[in-house]
Amino acid sequence: MSRERAKLVVGNWKMHGRIGENATLLIEVAAGASALQKGVSVGVCVPCPYLAQSQALLSGSVVRWGIQDVSAHTGGAFTGEVAAEMAADFGVTYAIVGHSERRAYHRESPELVASKAQRAIEAGLTPIVCVGETLEEREAGTTERIIGTQLEAVLQALTEEQAAGIVVAYEPVWAIGTGKTARPGQAQDVHAFLRHKLLEKGATVANVPLLYGGSVKPENAEELFGQKDIDGGLIGGASLKSKDFLAICRAAQTVTH
Ligand code: PEP
């Protein structure tokens, strides 16, 4: 398996931002990211109303932009939903699917998340498939069963070629927005398990970027990203401050796999 996988750092703004403050953040991130070495890619997943703004301010920069969810449908009577094709109209690269907040608050099943990943791929987007266990599930010793089921549903719905084009983010639910981070070794163990699952789908799938997410900060990013199977991060809170987000991006370039 390659030891030369590139790093990827993607911000998840969640439901934060206003048009004025976004402009400053996007311009600062684009400027800072331009100084990064090759081998580190950067993206930001913004709320839907700001896709056009992101496209306007990030086009021509090294930063790609994305959406935080897509519909499992391609169009029709689905009030409030956004089709992957619609996001594609705004030059979107990434589509987060299966974020734990959507699995928890919107009761998204592994099968629904798999359909969303399919729609994203069909529209030419790269799905960032989030998987993760709750604290109760970890304490019950069911982490691998839970995240294995979540990943398996997506892999089963995709061809090997499609699966080779996804990104997977391991986000322990107990670490998201809580300030609690998985210990680097703890995260690596889960990433190694996910890597093995990906390999079962095919040799080309084994090298998909495996991101860690959950209270990543400038202070802990380098150690996390230095783990063998951690290829970067999905960053929530810290992606809202350009200084912190760019420091995390720089941490990704200081570690090489
Ligand atoms: C997230 O929401 O994807 C996330 C990782 O959040 P945070 O970094 O704030 O824990």
Side-chain angles (χ1 to χ4, degrees), residues 13 15-26 47 50 53 240:
W13 287 9
M15 201 170 70
H16 293 292
R18 287 293 183 274
I19 202 145
E21 66 204 37
N22 298 346
T24 310
L25 179 54
L26 291 168
Y50 303 127
Q53 183 187 27
L240 298 170

Side-chain angles (χ1 to χ4, degrees), residues 10-14 96 99-101 130 169-173 175-180 212-217 233-240 248:
V10 180
N12 171 18
W13 287 9
K14 311 195 192 209
I96 297 174
H99 191 281
S100 61
E101 287 152 15
C130 298
Y170 168 55
E171 299 207 309
V173 179
I176 295 182
T178 58
K180 287 184 196 158
Y212 169 79
S215 299
V216 178
K217 307 178 207 63
L234 184 57
I235 317 299
S239 70
L240 298 170
I248 292 169

Side-chain angles (χ1 to χ4, degrees), residues 26-39:
L26 291 168
I27 290 166
E28 286 176 359
V29 167
S34 69
L36 293 169
Q37 287 162 12
K38 284 202 174 64

Side-chain angles (χ1 to χ4, degrees), residues 101-124:
E101 287 152 15
R102 298 217 50 99
R103 291 186 196 262
Y105 308 147
H106 301 272
R107 298 175 187 274
E108 293 195 1
S109 67
E111 293 69 31
L112 181 73
V113 173
S115 296
K116 291 183 172 204
Q118 277 181 307
R119 295 299 88 72
I121 289 170
E122 287 159 9

